Amino acid sequence: MPEIRVTPLGAGQDVGRSCILVSIAGKNVMLDCGMHMGFSDDRRFPDFSYITRSGRLTDFLDCVIISHFHLDHCGALPYFSEMVGYDGPIYMTQPTQAICPILLEDYRKIAVDKKGEANFFTSQMIKDCMKKVVAVHLHQTVQVDDELEIKAYYAGHVLGAAMFQIKVGSESVVYTGDYNMTPDRHLGAAWIDKCRPNLLITESTYATTIRDSKRCRERDFLKKVHETVERGGKVLIPVFALGRAQELCILLETFWERMDLKAPIYFSTGLTEKANHYYKLFIPWTNQKIRKTFVQRNMFEFKHVKAFDRAFADSPGPMVVFATPGMLHAGQSLQIFRKWAGNEKNMVIMPGYCVQGTVGHKILSGQRKLEMEGRQVLEVKMQVEYMSFSAHADAKGIMQLVGQAEPENVLLVHGEAKKMEFLKQKIEQEFRVSCYMPANGETVTLPTSPSIPVGISLGLLKRELAQGLLPDSKKPRLLHGTLIMKDSNFRLVSSEQALKELGLAEHQLRFTCRVHLHDTRKEQETAVRVYSHLKSVLKDHCVQHLPDGSVTVESILIQAAAHSEDPGTKVLLVSWTYQDEELGSYLTSLLKKGLPQAS
Amino acid sequence: MKLYCLSGHPTLPCNVLKFKSTTIMLDCGLDMTSTLNFLPLPLVQSPRLSNLPGWSLKDGNAFLDKELKECSGHVFVDSVPEFCLPETELIDLSTVDVILISNYHCMMALPYITEHTGFTGTVYATEPSVQIGRLLMEELVNFIERVPKAQSASLWKNKDIQRLLPSPLKDAVEVSTWRRCYTMQEVNSALSKIQLVGYSQKIELFGAVQVTPLSSGYALGSSNWIIQSHYEKVSYVSGSSLLTTHPQPMDQASLKNSDVLILTGLTQIPTANPDSMVGEFCSNLSLTVRNGGNVLVPCYPSGVIYDLLECLYQYIDSAGLSSIPFYFISPVANSSLEFSQIFAEWLCHNKQTKVYLPEPPFPHAELIQTNKLKHYPSIHGDFSNDFRQPCVVFTGHPSLRFGDVVHFMELWGKSSLNTVIFTEPDFTYLEALAPYQPLAMKCIYCPIDTRLNFIQVSKLLKEVQPLHVVCPEQYTQPPPAQSHRIDLMIDCQPPAMSYRRAEVLALPFKRRYEKIEIMPELADSLVPMEIKPGVSLATVSAVLHTKDNKHILQPPPRPAQPTGGKKRKRASDDIPDCKVLKPLLSGSIPVEQFVQTLEKSTQHPPVPFLLEQHGFSDIKVEDTAKGHIVLLQEAETLIQIEEDSTHIICDNDEMLRVRLRDLVLKFLQKF
C-alpha cells in the first residue's frame, strides 16, 4: 500500500527549529533546516541522526527545501550540509538565496565571536553550503528528478517566503512554511490554487488568535510610540533585520512625515541599508502598491530612519530604535534593553512572536525580574508592549488557506500543542478532513491510493464517449478493452487493436443451430413468416429479409431449408458468432417455440 | 489540429492553434511597417514637412493632394499613422480561449484583439513581458496622442484609387484593415486580461492541454511555449537567441521530442553579426562625437538599448568620451531603466549574481549616478535646459515617423557632422529616412538582431529533433535580395511546412492516445496474463467517467443480487441487449486434447440429469484441408476446427451447445 510519511525533527508541537521529513512515493524530502532560539546546546539543531546513523545523508534525501530566510527555518543548514554532510540539491527562492547567507553569517558571529562557541560552522562552510542551492521561481515547476517535482507559491511572510508543493505522480504534499493571508505595507498575501494535495502541512503559530484589523493594530502601535516619545521616553523595538523591520519603518516614516515629528528613529546594525537594497532589487516580491509605484518613489528609501551608533543609547532625550535580534535573546537589542529597562518612561514593543527561553518570551509572560548572565538580576521597569505584527496567518487565515488548497489531510507544525489541539478540532469539523499534529520524532503515516495513469487509444475512447452521451445511471455502460503492459508503458486499446498489435489472429467461434419447425409451406414462405414474426418481436433490432430468402437479425443469419425426410417440417439454420451469443441463443429458443399462426 | 495564420510578418507573428478542444492564439504581433507610408509627426511645427507639395496623378488630377504629399520622389500619406492588424476574419476571434505571449514585441496588437473581437479568454505572459510591453504601448500611445492630427486620410485606400498610386503605396496590403493606434484605456483593459506566468510553469487549460513557457534568451522575460497533452507536443519557438546578452539563456532541452515545432521570429538580418555591429556602432559613435557632431540612435525604450548602454559603459572612458552627455529620451525612459533592475530572476547568470551583493544588475545605474546618462520624458521641459552638444541621443520611434526622434532628424539632418545610427532591425533604414531626404547627415546601418540565424536554427533542429517543422514562407526560400544564398533558409527533413498570411494549415499529426486514470480498486481487480516475455495483457471492463476533460475508469457496479432460479429463467426471456460486448478470442484448439476432454466424463458443470456428463463414446475425427471435423454421431453434432475458427453445428440442444461452447472457450485466450 503506498503511503505518505511525515516526521517532524523540529517544529512538531513547537515553534523553532523547523525541519520536517516527508516520504512520498519513495522520495524523501526535507522541509526546512532551522535552529531553535530557545536552546544553545545540542537541541538547537534538528537531530539528523534520525535520518541515518551511518550512511551519507545524500543517499537518503532526494532534496531539501527552505521556505524562507528566518533562522528558525534555515539556521542549521551549513551544519547539516557541511558538518553532517549533504551534497544533494537545496531549493529556495532567489531572495531567500540572497539574504539567507547574510543572516547565517550574523548568527555565526554572535555564536562564535560573542559567545565563544567552538565547533560551530565557519564562514567558508556557509559559502560552500550556498553553492548547493538551486533557485526556484514562483510557480515554476522544478523537476528534481524524473518523478519528483516541486513548485513554489507566494507566502507573504517575509521577502521571498514561499510555500512549496511536492509532487510525485498524482500524489502531492503542500508545505506552507510561514505565511500571511493579509497583505501588509510591504508584502502581498499568500496564495495557492485549488491543488487538492493529499496532505497540507501548515504552520499554526497563531492557531487560536483571530487578529483585529491591521489598521487598528497600526494605529495602536503609532499611538504608543508617539506617547512615549512625547513624554521624553525611549522606544526599543527588537526586530529581525529583514521583514517586519521594513514594514514598521515604512509605517513610522509616513507617520513622522505627517506629524512632523523630530525625535530620531534609528536602525541598529549595518544591515539596514543592505537589507533595504535587497528590497529595492526584489520589488516583484513585494505588494501590488509598492510594485506599482516604485518607479516614482521607492518605499525603501527612508528619510527619517538613520543608522544607529552604540553611543546613541546613552544620549538623553526621546528616540525610537529598531535593534536586532527580535526575541531579545542576544546581540544589540538585548544590550539596549538592559540599558533602558530600569526607566519606566521607556517602552519596549515586541512586534513578533518570541520562543520559550528567550528574554522576549519572559517579559511578555509578565516576568519583571530577569536573571542575566553572571547571576545578575535585571529589574524591568519600562513598559512592555506586545503588538502582533509578525506576518503569520491567524486562525482565520489558516482556515482560509485550507479552504483554498482543499487538502485530503492537514498536518499542523510550528505552533504550541495546546493551541494546535483547538485548531485541529476546528479543521476537522469544518472541512471533514483528518488533521494531525505530531510531536518531534513522531511519524504520521497516511495511506494513499494513487490511480494508475494509462494511455487509452483515442478510437476506443471516442467510440465510448459517442455512445455514452445518454447517461443512464441505472445501467452504466461498460467500457471493454485490453490493457497492454509492456515495461512501464501501459496502454488501453480495443480488443481488435490488441490482437493486431500482438500479431495474433482472431479465432472465430461460430454456432449453427438447427431448429425444426412444423410448416408445410414452402421454405420461402416459412422465411417470410419468420421474418414477420421476428420483426414484430424484436422492435429494437435490425431485422432484414434478404433477396436470397434468408433473414438476418443484426448479424445473425437465419435460413429456411426443407427437411430431407419430412416434407411437413422445415429446418431453420440459425447461425451466429460468439460475439452475438446472447442474441443467437435467444433467437433459437424463441424460434423453437414455433411461429404464430398466420392470420 | 489546425493552424490559422493571421500575420504575414515572420517576426511579428499571430497564429491560432486549434489543439484538442482548445483554441490558442500564439502571439499578437503588430506590423508597424505600414507607418512607413505616412509622413512623420513632428513634435515641433516643421515648415519643411508642412510645405511638401501635394501629389497629383500623371494627368494632373490633384484630388488627392490633401491626403498625399510628395518628398524627394516618394509619396506619403499625410494622416495619423496606421498599423496593419492581424487578420480578424479568418477565424472567429471570440472563440479564442487563451493568448500566449512570447515577448514584449509580439504583443503590440493585443488591445485590438482583446477589446474589439469579443475575446473573453485569458492572456498568459511573463511579468517582464507585461511590464515592458506596457511601456512600449504607453510610449506608442504617447507619441501619437501628443501630436493630434486633424486629418485622417481615407480616400487613398479606395481600391480603385490605390491602383493608381505609385509604389510602395500601390502594393500595400490590406489597407482597408489598417487601424489607428489604440488608447491608453484600451491598453489598460487589454493588460488587465493578462495572467502572469513564470518559466517552466505548467498551466492547465481546461484539463485538456498543458502550456509551459520556456526561456528563449532573446529579451527580458521572453519565452517559447510548449503546448502539450499527454501524448502530443507542439513547440512554439518565437524570438529566441543563443547569444549571451542580458536575458536568461535559452532553454533548448525542453523543446525535444516535439511532434510539431512552429518556428517564427528568426533574425531579420541574417548576414549581420550582432557583435561586429556593436563594434561598428561604438566606433562610428565616437568618430562622430570626436569630430564635434551629434549622434542620434533611433531605438525602442527597452531591449538592445540595455546592451548598448552596457557597451558604452565599458567604452566611454577608453574612447575619451567621458565628457560627452548621453541622453535617453522617452516618456517611459525612467520606468524602463528602473524596471530593468528589478527583474533579477529573468537575467543571465552574471547579472543575477550581482543582485546577491546586492548591486543593481545593469551598469546604467552607475551611468545615471555619475551623470553620464540622463533620461527625460520628452524634449520639452528639463531637457531643453540641460541640452548640450555634441551629444548622443537615444530616442524613439525607430520608424522615424513619430516620437522625439522626428525632432532630432529635422534638427540635425542638415549637417554632415551628425550621424544617425540605426540599430533596430525592424524597419528598412532607407525607407525610414525617405521623408527626410535630401539629408546631409551621415547614416550608419548597424542592425543588431540577436535572434537565431539559419546556422543556429539548423543546429537547434538537429538537437531537438521535431517530427515536423512549420514556419512562415519567408524562411523556406532565400531572401529576395540574395536569391543565391541558399544557406539563408531553413533546411530540414522532412521539409518545413510553410504558411502565409490568411492561410489555414492542417498540421500533420494524428492523435492516437489520451490519458485515462484507472482507479486503484479497478486496478486491483485486473488479472494480467503474460503473453510474451515482458508483455502482459489484462482485459478491462469498467465504467468510464469523463469530467472536465479528464477520464477515469471505475470498477463496474456489482451485479444486482441474483434472484431466485425461476425468476432468472424468466429474465432470460427478455430480449438481450446486443450492446453487451463479448471478448474477442484468439488462439487455436488442440484437436487431440479437445477430443480427449470430450470423451472424459465431465464433472463441470455438474448437471446430474444430463447423459452427456459421462462423456461421448462415439466421437469421430476427420481431417480436412484446413483442419479437422469432430463428429458427435449420436448427437448429430459437428464441430469444424481450423487454425483460426471453430464452427459448432448442432441441433437445437442448448445444453449441449453451451457445454461445447464453454469447452472451446477454455482453450482460447480472451481479449
Side-chain angles (χ1 to χ4, degrees), chain B residues 153-375:
Chain B
S154 57
L155 210 54
W156 69 278
K157 288 187 181 179
N158 185 310
K159 273 215 163 73
D160 293 326
I161 295 173
Q162 199 199 348
R163 264 189 307 121
L164 306 172
L165 306 180
S167 284
L169 276 179
K170 186 170 71 178
D171 310 317
V173 288
E174 314 270 351
V175 292
S176 60
T177 66
W178 289 12
R179 289 285 174 273
R180 298 161 142 223
C181 190
Y182 30 73
T183 63
M184 215 43 221
Q185 195 188 351
E186 287 168 314
V187 169
N188 286 329
S189 171
L191 295 180
S192 72
K193 293 174 173 113
I194 298 182
Q195 195 165 321
L196 298 183
V197 294
Y199 288 149
S200 305
Q201 180 177 346
K202 295 176 177 174
I203 304 136
E204 290 280 336
L205 303 184
F206 318 108
V209 177
Q210 194 182 60
V211 296
T212 307
L214 304 172
S215 174
S216 79
Y218 165 61
L220 266 175
S222 71
S223 29
N224 293 321
W225 289 85
I226 303 283
I227 302 121
Q228 62 188 341
S229 65
H230 288 277
Y231 292 91
E232 300 86 18
K233 177 170 172 179
V234 178
S235 293
Y236 173 57
V237 173
S238 164
S240 300
S241 176
L242 292 171
L243 298 180
T244 325
T245 56
H246 57 273
Q248 216 183 92
M250 177 181 178
D251 177 355
Q252 297 182 66
S254 306
L255 298 172
K256 279 185 183 166
N257 304 319
S258 307
D259 296 284
V260 171
L261 187 140
I262 303 169
L263 185 60
T264 67
L266 303 185
T267 174
Q268 302 185 77
I269 322 286
T271 46
N273 173 335
D275 279 335
S276 49
M277 286 297 128
V278 171
E280 251 178 70
F281 169 80
C282 289
S283 56
N284 278 299
L285 183 141
S286 63
L287 190 70
T288 305
V289 174
R290 253 184 253 137
N291 291 334
N294 300 295
V295 176
L296 178 62
V297 186
C299 63
Y300 293 115
S302 176
V304 174
I305 185 168
Y306 302 144
D307 299 314
L308 291 178
L309 290 176
E310 184 155 3
C311 279
L312 291 172
Y313 169 78
Q314 291 155 1
Y315 184 78
I316 286 173
D317 292 327
S318 64
L321 302 174
S322 357
S323 58
I324 300 297
F326 287 75
Y327 301 119
F328 175 18
I329 303 169
S330 158
V332 298
N334 184 28
S335 299
S336 167
L337 294 171
E338 288 288 338
F339 270 114
S340 67
Q341 305 288 21
I342 65 159
F343 290 129
E345 292 178 38
W346 310 87
L347 294 173
C348 63
H349 182 74
N350 265 342
K351 296 225 176 302
Q352 278 193 16
T353 48
K354 284 207 159 179
V355 179
Y356 296 146
L357 296 176
E359 272 172 26
F362 284 96
H364 52 239
E366 202 184 314
L367 286 177
I368 296 168
Q369 230 168 32
T370 53
N371 261 334
K372 284 177 181 154
L373 174 68
K374 291 183 174 183
H375 53 83

Side-chain angles (χ1 to χ4, degrees), chain B residues 552-593:
Chain B
I552 292 173
L553 279 183
Q554 284 184 337
R558 259 180 237 166
Q561 285 294 312
T563 38
K566 262 191 186 165
K567 268 199 172 164
R568 236 8 266 151
K569 228 173 212 167
R570 228 198 238 142
S572 76
D573 284 350
D574 289 343
I575 301 166
D577 180 4
C578 64
K579 297 249 162 59
V580 174
L581 272 172
K582 283 275 183 236
L584 292 186
L585 306 171
S586 179
S588 50
I589 311 286
V591 176
E592 245 173 72
Q593 223 179 315

Side-chain angles (χ1 to χ4, degrees), chain B residues 329-599:
Chain B
I329 303 169
S330 158
V332 298
N334 184 28
S335 299
S336 167
L337 294 171
E338 288 288 338
F339 270 114
S340 67
Q341 305 288 21
I342 65 159
F343 290 129
E345 292 178 38
W346 310 87
L347 294 173
C348 63
H349 182 74
N350 265 342
K351 296 225 176 302
Q352 278 193 16
T353 48
K354 284 207 159 179
V355 179
Y356 296 146
L357 296 176
E359 272 172 26
F362 284 96
H364 52 239
E366 202 184 314
L367 286 177
I368 296 168
Q369 230 168 32
T370 53
N371 261 334
K372 284 177 181 154
L373 174 68
K374 291 183 174 183
H375 53 83
Y376 304 88
S378 91
I379 52 168
H380 299 303
D382 289 348
F383 175 72
S384 31
N385 302 329
D386 299 355
F387 184 43
R388 276 192 297 125
Q389 304 191 69
C391 64
V392 178
V393 171
F394 293 88
T395 189
H397 186 270
S399 66
L400 305 192
R401 290 304 177 269
F402 36 81
D404 302 87
V405 74
V406 175
H407 176 75
F408 287 99
M409 284 304 296
E410 294 289 330
L411 185 70
W412 291 343
K414 294 164 213 87
S415 163
S416 61
L417 276 180
N418 303 326
T419 306
V420 54
I421 309 183
F422 291 89
T423 55
E424 301 287 357
D426 287 356
F427 302 91
T428 328
Y429 80 107
L430 286 175
E431 283 184 44
L433 288 172
Y436 299 96
Q437 299 292 3
L439 206 60
M441 86 194 289
K442 276 199 294 280
C443 303
I444 306 288
Y445 186 51
C446 302
I448 299 168
D449 195 333
T450 57
R451 288 173 276 213
L452 297 176
N453 63 35
F454 289 98
I455 300 168
Q456 291 164 331
V457 164
S458 115
K459 229 175 113 191
L460 174 75
L461 292 181
K462 270 194 198 109
E463 186 137 333
V464 305
Q465 299 269 359
L467 288 184
H468 300 278
V469 175
V470 176
C471 67
E473 61 173 351
Q474 290 92 331
Y475 296 159
T476 57
Q477 60 218 23
Q482 295 148 301
S483 53
H484 62 288
R485 292 289 298 270
I486 53 163
D487 57 323
L488 300 183
M489 58 186 271
I490 289 179
D491 174 30
C492 65
Q493 273 314 319
M497 296 178 68
S498 70
Y499 67 79
R500 61 174 72 179
R501 189 179 167 109
E503 228 173 31
V504 182
L505 289 191
L507 295 185
F509 77 66
K510 210 172 144 44
R511 296 180 46 228
R512 311 228 334 245
Y513 285 96
E514 177 72 273
K515 187 179 146 180
I516 194 164
E517 303 257 343
I518 296 187
M519 296 315 279
E521 310 87 70
L522 175 64
D524 286 345
S525 73
L526 297 181
V527 189
M529 150 176 88
E530 191 163 34
I531 295 285
K532 294 177 192 169
V535 182
S536 298
L537 294 185
T539 53
V540 177
S541 286
V543 182
L544 173 69
H545 287 275
T546 298
K547 197 183 166 194
D548 299 339
N549 286 317
K550 298 239 184 278
H551 310 292
I552 292 173
L553 279 183
Q554 284 184 337
R558 259 180 237 166
Q561 285 294 312
T563 38
K566 262 191 186 165
K567 268 199 172 164
R568 236 8 266 151
K569 228 173 212 167
R570 228 198 238 142
S572 76
D573 284 350
D574 289 343
I575 301 166
D577 180 4
C578 64
K579 297 249 162 59
V580 174
L581 272 172
K582 283 275 183 236
L584 292 186
L585 306 171
S586 179
S588 50
I589 311 286
V591 176
E592 245 173 72
Q593 223 179 315
F594 181 70
V595 172
Q596 271 170 23
T597 325
L598 277 177
E599 282 170 342

Side-chain angles (χ1 to χ4, degrees), chain B residues 50-71:
Chain B
S50 43
N51 290 333
L52 285 176
W55 180 80
S56 50
L57 290 168
K58 277 193 190 111
D59 60 7
N61 194 334
F63 73 104
L64 280 168
D65 68 349
K66 286 265 177 316
E67 293 202 351
L68 303 179
K69 304 281 177 189
E70 198 166 350
C71 175

Side-chain angles (χ1 to χ4, degrees), chain A residues 16 65 199 206 217 284 351 371 451:
Chain A
I65 294 170
L199 176 67
Y206 291 122
R217 264 177 289 148
E371 199 170 309
S451 57

Side-chain angles (χ1 to χ4, degrees), chain B residues 10-48:
Chain B
T11 25
L12 298 168
C14 183
N15 294 313
V16 173
L17 178 72
K18 285 214 176 199
F19 180 32
K20 288 182 82 175
S21 49
T22 56
T23 306
I24 303 170
M25 180 179 277
L26 305 169
D27 276 334
C28 227
L30 183 63
D31 188 348
M32 295 200 237
T33 50
S34 57
T35 58
L36 292 175
N37 295 298
F38 292 79
L39 271 189
L41 291 178
L43 217 58
V44 180
Q45 172 78 9
S46 155
R48 186 187 69 86

Side-chain angles (χ1 to χ4, degrees), chain A residues 164-282:
Chain A
F164 281 88
Q165 181 192 43
I166 300 107
K167 196 171 172 198
V168 182
S170 60
E171 293 168 73
S172 65
V173 171
V174 168
Y175 173 56
T176 64
D178 293 355
Y179 63 102
N180 184 13
M181 295 298 282
T182 44
D184 62 29
R185 282 181 185 266
H186 75 302
L187 295 173
W191 177 85
I192 195 160
D193 51 13
K194 205 176 281 307
C195 56
R196 299 199 172 97
N198 296 90
L199 176 67
L200 173 77
I201 304 176
T202 173
E203 65 132 323
S204 50
T205 321
Y206 291 122
T208 55
T209 323
I210 304 233
R211 285 179 295 173
D212 45 5
S213 93
K214 189 103 187 182
R215 295 277 155 203
C216 293
R217 264 177 289 148
E218 286 175 359
R219 216 177 309 129
D220 255 25
F221 169 78
L222 292 172
K223 199 173 138 219
K224 277 176 184 150
V225 172
H226 192 195
E227 280 169 5
T228 311
V229 173
E230 286 286 275
R231 66 171 177 253
K234 297 178 166 62
V235 182
L236 170 65
I237 308 170
V239 288
F240 288 96
L242 289 127
R244 243 13 56 194
Q246 277 69 26
E247 185 189 351
L248 296 178
C249 280
I250 292 175
L251 196 60
L252 284 186
E253 169 94 5
T254 39
F255 186 71
W256 249 237
E257 209 156 295
R258 203 176 67 220
M259 306 293 288
D260 196 24
L261 298 180
K262 295 286 179 267
I265 307 173
Y266 295 115
F267 204 119
S268 81
T269 77
L271 250 175
T272 0
E273 211 174 325
K274 217 171 167 185
N276 292 341
H277 225 88
Y278 281 117
Y279 276 84
K280 275 159 44 184
L281 293 172
F282 288 116

